[in-house]
């Protein structure tokens, strides 16, 4: 037993002292591809609400009692459509009285003209005095003024009679009635209902000062026209939608930045022929944020973060992982735009980047970057300096 134990110990010592070291593992295999190149356009993200271009509280323009309500609450109405009738009988009587005053004043004027004509004929024969002729002329002028006053009173009476029928000032959608049949309404005080226009509709939002400055610089460089003078396209997504299916054009940019919020107001005009879009609806909008430019795209998985830097690993000529500091932009077709730091011929490492060390050898295997046109980037909040939240391939 002692001889056997010694033999085993000697064999163990021989294995430790005289054997070869274990072989190093082969370099890891990584998938590589050159960046995908596309013509893209950046879009800036905003949130806002739809508002009616015309929003009016209808008030009574004459005193009286409501006799007829011509609409159903919440229905769509046409411009000029009758909505309420205020008892017209007192105003019809006033019009008739004014018309009678016109007839009386017309008769008085005709008589005054005849008297003046006779006085002029007699005055030429020195049959009447100059004072009497002047009095007759003055009477004619007074009768003419009475006739003008009567006609003005009739016009006012006709207006008041017309105001007894309250009509929609524009096409749109009416709210509920605020009065009922039999209610007395006061001129300029009683609210009858509210009417809003729907087609087209506005999408109102506020943009950060950083975005406003960026757009001003782009306008100066000729890359993108200012929304103050250019109807830049806007695409809008509703709260329950996954795509931007509503299209509009910029129509207004305010004349000042709000010093309290650091934002500037703006709105786009959006066609709404079916009336589906309703004032007060929330929406996410993307506004054209750049001109068309050539961009390189890589998957988000190929980008790593090193504190405040973004890095992409490329394969060098001697098959080593080399980090590159890159500047990234928005997403397009499921891929991330790289604005700076990469060359079109660089072989970007697509897989296993989290385990790589700078200068580590790798075994590259040819891969391919595949875009996905169905993917939309989620809207992002502006940062300073602002980065576009999305881009589209042209």
């Amino acid at each position: 037993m002692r001889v056997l134990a010694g033999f085993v110990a000697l064999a163990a010592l021989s294995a430790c002292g005289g054997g070869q070291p274990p072989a190093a593992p082969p370099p890891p295999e990584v998938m590589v591809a050159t960046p995908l190149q596309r013509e893209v356009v950046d879009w800036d993200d905003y949130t806002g609400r739809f508002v009616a271009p015309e929003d009016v509280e209808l008030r009574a323009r004459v005193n009286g009692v409501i006799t007829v309500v011509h609409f159903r609450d919440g229905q769509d109405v046409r411009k000029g459509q009758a909505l309420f009738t205020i008892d017209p009988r007192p105003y019809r009587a006033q019009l008739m009285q004014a018309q009678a005053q016109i007839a009386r004043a017309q008769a008085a004027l005709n008589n005054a003209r005849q008297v003046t004509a006779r006085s002029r004929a007699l005055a030429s024969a020195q049959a009447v005095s100059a004072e009497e002729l002047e009095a007759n002329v003055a009477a004619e002028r007074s009768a003419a003024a009475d006739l003008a006053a009567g006609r003005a009173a009739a016009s006012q009476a006709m207006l008041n009679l017309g105001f007894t029928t309250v009509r929609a000032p524009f096409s749109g959608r009416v709210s509920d009635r605020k009065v009922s049949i039999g209610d007395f309404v006061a001129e300029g005080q009683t609210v009858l209902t509210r009417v809003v226009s729907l087609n087209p509709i506005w999408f109102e939002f506020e943009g950060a000062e950083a975005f406003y400055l960026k757009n001003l610089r782009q306008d100066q460089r000729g890359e993108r026209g200012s929304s103050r003078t250019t109807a830049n396209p806007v695409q809008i997504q509703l709260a329950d939608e996954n795509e931007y299916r509503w299209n509009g054009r910029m129509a207004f940019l305010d004349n000042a930045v709000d010093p309290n919020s650091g934002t500037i107001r703006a709105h786009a005009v959006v066609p709404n022929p079916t009336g589906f879009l309703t004032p007060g609806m929330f929406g996410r909008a993307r506004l054209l944020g750049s001109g068309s430019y050539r961009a390189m795209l890589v998957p988000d998985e190929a980008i790593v973060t090193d504190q405040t830097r973004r890095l992409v690993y490329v394969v060098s000529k001697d098959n080593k992982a080399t980090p590159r500091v890159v500047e990234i932009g928005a997403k397009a077709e499921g891929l991330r735009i790289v604005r700076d730091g990469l060359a079109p011929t660089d072989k970007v490492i697509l897989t296993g980047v989290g385990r790589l060390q700078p200068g580590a050898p790798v075994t590259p295997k040819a891969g391919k970057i595949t875009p996905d046109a169905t993917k939309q980037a989620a809207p992002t909040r502006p940062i300073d300096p602002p980065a576009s939240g999305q881009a589209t391939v042209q």
Side-chain angles (χ1 to χ4, degrees), residues 153-175:
S155 296
Q156 182 62 54
M158 189 173 296
L159 277 176
N160 289 338
L161 181 60
F163 291 155
T164 60
T165 300
V166 181
R167 301 182 181 276
F170 46 79
S171 297
R173 185 167 295 159
V174 68
S175 181

Side-chain angles (χ1 to χ4, degrees), residues 355-371:
R355 301 188 301 271
L356 294 177
Q357 294 295 328
V362 294
T363 303
K365 182 179 179 181
K368 185 179 180 181
I369 297 176
T370 304

Side-chain angles (χ1 to χ4, degrees), residues 69-373:
V69 178
H70 297 276
F71 68 94
R72 177 176 51 82
D73 291 351
Q75 79 173 68
D76 291 345
V77 295
R78 304 179 310 276
K79 180 179 179 179
Q81 180 176 334
L83 302 179
F84 295 93
T85 296
I86 300 172
D87 189 358
R89 292 174 297 175
Y91 299 98
R92 190 176 293 118
Q94 291 178 7
L95 176 59
M96 294 173 63
Q97 183 179 6
Q99 290 171 340
Q101 292 293 338
I102 290 175
R104 176 181 296 177
Q106 185 66 63
L109 177 59
N110 292 339
N111 182 62
R113 286 173 176 170
Q114 292 174 359
V115 172
T116 301
R118 286 196 300 269
S119 296
R120 291 183 190 281
L122 293 173
S124 62
Q126 296 183 350
V128 296
S129 64
E131 291 79 3
E132 185 176 350
L133 176 60
E134 290 174 357
N136 291 334
V137 170
E140 179 184 350
R141 291 173 178 171
S142 178
D146 289 342
L147 178 60
R151 287 172 175 169
S155 296
Q156 182 62 54
M158 189 173 296
L159 277 176
N160 289 338
L161 181 60
F163 291 155
T164 60
T165 300
V166 181
R167 301 182 181 276
F170 46 79
S171 297
R173 185 167 295 159
V174 68
S175 181
D176 60 334
R177 68 194 76 181
K178 307 302 181 184
V179 294
S180 300
I181 295 175
D183 283 342
F184 181 85
V185 296
E187 174 186 356
Q189 298 181 19
T190 306
V191 176
L192 306 178
T193 189
R194 176 188 176 196
V195 182
V196 297
S197 63
L198 297 177
N199 186 34
I201 196 168
W202 289 353
F203 183 79
E204 280 194 350
F205 60 92
E206 294 185 355
E209 184 177 350
F211 269 124
Y212 179 56
L213 285 172
K214 184 189 78 167
N215 295 339
L216 287 178
R217 304 298 185 194
Q218 290 174 334
D219 183 44
Q220 289 178 338
R221 294 191 297 264
E223 298 173 0
R224 167 194 178 275
S226 169
S227 294
R228 196 180 302 281
T229 56
T230 306
N232 288 314
V234 174
Q235 298 178 352
I236 303 168
Q237 172 188 19
L238 301 184
D240 65 341
E241 294 178 339
N242 296 321
E243 59 183 10
Y244 292 80
R245 58 182 298 258
W246 305 94
N247 298 297
R249 293 279 179 177
M250 287 297 299
F252 167 73
L253 189 62
D254 208 353
N255 59 359
V257 175
D258 188 335
N260 296 318
S261 62
T263 58
I264 187 168
R265 294 190 308 116
H267 75 243
V269 177
V270 183
N272 187 29
T274 63
F276 181 86
L277 300 174
T278 305
M281 273 186 176
F282 170 83
R284 299 182 180 91
R286 59 183 192 183
L287 168 63
L288 183 66
S290 74
S292 178
Y293 63 94
R294 191 75 172 173
M296 289 179 290
L297 291 81
V298 299
D300 270 333
E301 294 77 11
I303 302 172
V304 295
T305 301
D306 179 12
Q307 294 180 348
T308 60
R309 303 182 304 171
R310 303 294 177 90
L311 303 175
V312 170
Y313 279 94
V314 301
V315 176
S316 63
K317 293 181 179 180
D318 55 355
N319 287 344
K320 291 185 178 179
T322 304
R324 294 279 182 85
V325 178
V326 294
E327 177 188 346
I328 66 172
K331 293 192 74 173
E333 295 189 345
L335 301 174
R336 181 67 62 180
I337 293 173
V338 177
R339 295 183 175 274
D340 191 24
L342 277 182
T345 57
D346 283 336
K347 295 180 180 179
V348 179
I349 298 177
L350 306 179
T351 58
V353 293
R355 301 188 301 271
L356 294 177
Q357 294 295 328
V362 294
T363 303
K365 182 179 179 181
K368 185 179 180 181
I369 297 176
T370 304
D372 186 353

